Amino acid sequence: MNSNSMGLARIAANLVATAAVVAITAAVTVSGPMSAAQAATSPVYAFEKIKLASGRSIVARWNPCQEAITYRINLTALPTAKRAAMSKQIRTAFGKLSAANGITYRYTGTTTFVPKSTNLTKAPAEIVVAVVGNKATDMDLAANVAGFGGMLWSTWTGGAGEGAVVVRGFVLLSPAKMTTMKPGFGRGTTQGNVILHELAHASGLEHVSAKSELMYPTLLPSAPNGFGPGDLAGLKKIGKQGGCVKVSPVVRVTNFS
């Protein structure tokens, strides 16, 4: 008998929004620029994994062969005068993500939808990026966190085999923290780097220990200008280069393409 189920990966970004480098958790404190030795290390990346009914684990992936992955933007927590600039940054970030993983993304407008752990299947697009206060969602957008991203997947098992595909993604951005950071893209603690970090989580990348990568858990003043070499290598592997995901017909979540 065929069956399918949903799984939620909630991935905290642990980004700092000030030039002083203080990690979110007290157990970890990082300071100073990365050394030449750190910069010369091999590219590293890590993937979100999905555990199937058989106990086997596979890499969490969107189907890169669908016509497009749609996204909407919620900017209702920002002052009206700041919304156009933030929207442009987010749409530019999706362009950079597409260039990295080969997947097509399509902007379908604004929304008032706020991602929560209980409502992702009702989202008005496959990915929603929402600039919201930490009290507006039950996700772990703590008061000292600039961004939070993750995904929802569907798994299936039955006579035709088993598998999984990511069906929803979300990015939450703190308006209070984002406004303390430098607008635009570039090295260090920029708003663009926060958005890219969270979109990478929504795409399937996990945190890494290399400070030379954007997926390092804390956004440092020495962070790269956008995705680092390991981030790019990982995004390629889970993107179009990784091939199509053959999605079972038992998966019933609406596709917006």
Side-chain angles (χ1 to χ4, degrees):
M1 181 177 179
N2 289 318
S3 64
N4 78 303
S5 61
M6 309 296 286
L8 174 65
R10 296 187 295 172
I11 313 169
N14 292 343
L15 301 181
V16 292
T18 60
V21 186
V22 181
I24 295 304
T25 55
V28 183
T29 302
V30 184
S31 63
M34 64 180 173
S35 67
Q38 289 168 333
T41 56
S42 299
V44 294
Y45 50 83
F47 300 134
E48 178 64 36
K49 296 291 186 69
I50 300 173
K51 190 172 184 178
L52 302 178
S54 65
R56 182 169 63 97
S57 291
I58 63 172
V59 172
R61 294 181 64 214
W62 291 85
N63 178 16
C65 298
Q66 68 183 79
E67 180 184 341
I69 294 173
T70 61
Y71 70 96
R72 287 182 178 267
I73 301 173
N74 179 353
L75 300 174
T76 53
L78 280 180
T80 303
K82 295 185 177 181
R83 293 179 186 177
M86 183 60 72
S87 178
K88 183 178 179 180
Q89 283 189 131
I90 293 169
R91 295 176 70 174
T92 298
F94 270 98
K96 292 177 181 290
L97 178 63
S98 179
N101 64 14
I103 295 175
T104 299
Y105 298 92
R106 186 171 71 240
Y107 175 62
T108 56
T110 59
T111 182
T112 58
F113 181 85
V114 177
K116 299 178 182 178
S117 63
T118 56
N119 70 355
L120 293 178
T121 58
K122 299 176 182 178
E126 277 133 325
I127 300 175
V128 172
V129 179
V131 184
V132 295
N134 62 318
K135 293 182 179 180
T137 178
D138 65 344
M139 299 290 191
D140 195 17
L141 188 65
N144 56 350
V145 172
F148 188 87
M151 58 175 61
L152 181 78
W153 57 72
S154 179
T155 65
W156 59 85
T157 184
E162 64 178 0
V165 66
V166 176
V167 293
R168 292 291 183 272
F170 63 90
V171 168
L172 298 169
L173 302 171
S174 164
K177 289 296 182 182
M178 290 292 281
T179 54
T180 67
M181 308 178 81
K182 183 180 178 182
F185 296 85
R187 291 181 61 85
T189 53
T190 61
Q191 293 181 5
N193 268 350
V194 177
I195 298 167
L196 289 172
H197 180 109
E198 299 311 328
L199 285 178
H201 275 317
S203 300
L205 288 191
E206 262 281 23
H207 287 147
V208 297
S209 59
K211 296 178 185 177
S212 56
E213 306 297 343
L214 189 59
M215 295 314 292
Y216 186 73
T218 301
L219 188 62
L220 305 172
S222 57
N225 178 6
F227 297 124
D231 307 318
L232 291 170
L235 287 168
K236 285 182 180 179
K237 285 182 177 293
I238 56 177
K240 206 154 192 177
Q241 181 176 285
C244 301
V245 175
K246 188 175 181 181
V247 181
S248 170
V250 302
V251 176
R252 298 288 184 236
V253 177
T254 302
N255 185 290
F256 295 94
S257 298

